Every structure is written in structure tokens, then in C-alpha cells.
Amino acid sequence: MKFDPNTTALVLIEYQNDFTSDGGGLHDAVRPVMEKTDMLANTARAVEAARTAGVTVMHAPITFAEGYNELGKHPYGILKGVVDGGVFVKGTWGAAIIDELAPAEGDIVIEGKRGLDTFASTNLDFILRSKGITTIALGGFLTNCCVESTMRSGYENGYQVVTLSDCVAATSVEEHDNAIAYDYPMFSTPMTAEEFSSGLS
């Protein structure tokens, strides 16, 4: 596939210390898949290629106020794990975007992500449409959660969705592999970071 940099955005979902870094509250859970995919190095290469080509680079961190008052009184599922783990609290090291992928001048930081689907609680769709973006390439955490939720909404909203299969990680190899094999092809065009970068040249 070939991509027009003027109508393409690379969306980086939750590359935050609580996931990516030693000492992060959820790092041990995702470490095996991160190591399997080498996702941080692959993402860095994709970002470099995107910036060089003039692609819009967007960062979508998830953050909560201390006490998680944005959530209901009885969170369940993945968000209960966030609360129980005390992760992604605004202003903390754990919630910060990893230094290696810190926003550069010209990047866009999407604010307000409080749930799984990046479209649901942010102005992502407004910004994409305002900039004339028609193709979004996704990487980040978790393969089968926030990335997949964003992928599905992007598909439903009419975007050409690309999922970067070696720029994502989940809490188990089985969950990761299942999403890549069975879910991603239904709602996106899965490809590697190298394939995406090659499509920009």
C-alpha cells in the first residue's frame, strides 16, 4: 500500500511508563509481548519515517485524576485493573509518555482519553476531519483492548485503518496473537512498521 502523508496520521496509544518501562505498574504484564514484538524499537522507526514524510503524528495517553473520580463508583473489567493498580494518574511518572517517543514539535497530543476507545472520550475525530486525514495507522497498548477498540471505531467512522502488528502488545501472547490473527483483519489492514514506512516513500 502507498500512503499520502497529507491524509495519513500515525496514532500512538498509551506509550506511557506504566506500560512501557521498568517500574511501571503494568509493565510486567506486557513485558513478554513487548519483547516478542520489539514494539518500542519498531514504533520509533515508524515515527521517524512518518515525521520525515510529513505524516501527522498523534499521541493518545490515558490519564485520570487522583482518586479516579472520572470513573463510576464500581469500575469493572480492565478499568478496575487500572484503579486497583493505581496507574495512569495525571502528573505522575507512570502516566508520562515514554521519553523515547516524547511528542516532538508539530505532533498532536490527544487529550481526555478516559476509556478504551480513543474516539469515545476525546476530540480525535474532530482533529482528524479538520486536518483532512482519511488514513490512520495505530500502535500501542493493549493489542486487544484500546488499540482494537480504536481500530473498530475508526473502521465504523469511515477511515482507512492500518494496524501496526509489531508495534502493539497485550498482557499475554495468546491474547495478542488472537487479536492479530482474527480481529485485526476484519476491521483494518494489518502490517508491520517496515511495511508502513515503505508505503510512505
Side-chain angles (χ1 to χ4, degrees):
M1 291 181 66
K2 293 296 182 182
F3 302 102
D4 179 355
N6 295 312
T7 60
T8 302
L10 175 58
V11 183
L12 307 175
I13 299 172
E14 296 175 15
Y15 284 85
Q16 295 160 266
N17 286 314
D18 272 327
F19 271 139
T20 60
S21 307
D22 287 335
L26 298 173
H27 181 59
D28 286 344
V30 298
R31 183 199 306 266
V33 181
M34 287 184 65
E35 292 175 350
K36 178 187 177 187
T37 62
D38 198 20
M39 67 171 294
L40 293 183
N42 291 328
T43 302
R45 286 190 284 269
V47 169
E48 181 179 5
R51 288 178 178 148
T52 299
V55 166
T56 298
V57 177
M58 310 177 90
H59 306 260
I62 187 170
T63 58
F64 300 94
E66 189 171 354
Y68 300 95
N69 288 331
E70 301 97 332
L71 300 177
K73 292 182 179 180
H74 305 289
Y76 64 97
I78 188 69
L79 290 177
K80 183 178 189 303
V82 167
V83 174
D84 290 348
V87 293
F88 303 126
V89 175
K90 291 178 186 177
T92 65
W93 170 83
I97 295 172
I98 189 173
D99 290 342
E100 293 91 323
L101 294 170
E105 184 176 355
D107 289 2
I108 297 171
V109 178
I110 300 298
E111 300 176 355
K113 190 174 188 299
R114 301 288 185 268
L116 314 183
D117 173 8
T118 308
F119 283 94
S121 60
T122 75
N123 57 355
L124 175 62
D125 189 63
F126 173 81
I127 293 175
L128 291 172
R129 295 190 189 282
S130 295
K131 294 180 67 64
I133 301 296
T134 56
T135 299
I136 55 173
L138 307 178
F141 300 89
L142 296 166
T143 311
N144 60 330
C145 187
C146 292
V147 176
E148 180 164 334
S149 295
T150 303
M151 168 193 72
R152 288 171 179 256
S153 283
Y155 183 90
E156 295 282 11
N157 288 334
Y159 293 96
Q160 175 68 46
V161 182
V162 171
T163 41
L164 303 179
S165 57
D166 57 356
C167 296
V168 292
T171 55
S172 75
V173 171
E174 292 79 7
E175 290 170 298
H176 170 83
D177 287 348
N178 183 80
I180 296 289
Y182 298 109
D183 297 342
Y184 279 29
M186 293 182 68
F187 308 102
S188 72
T189 303
M191 64 182 64
T192 66
E194 178 60 33
E195 289 169 335
F196 172 69
S197 298
S198 296
L200 296 172
S201 59

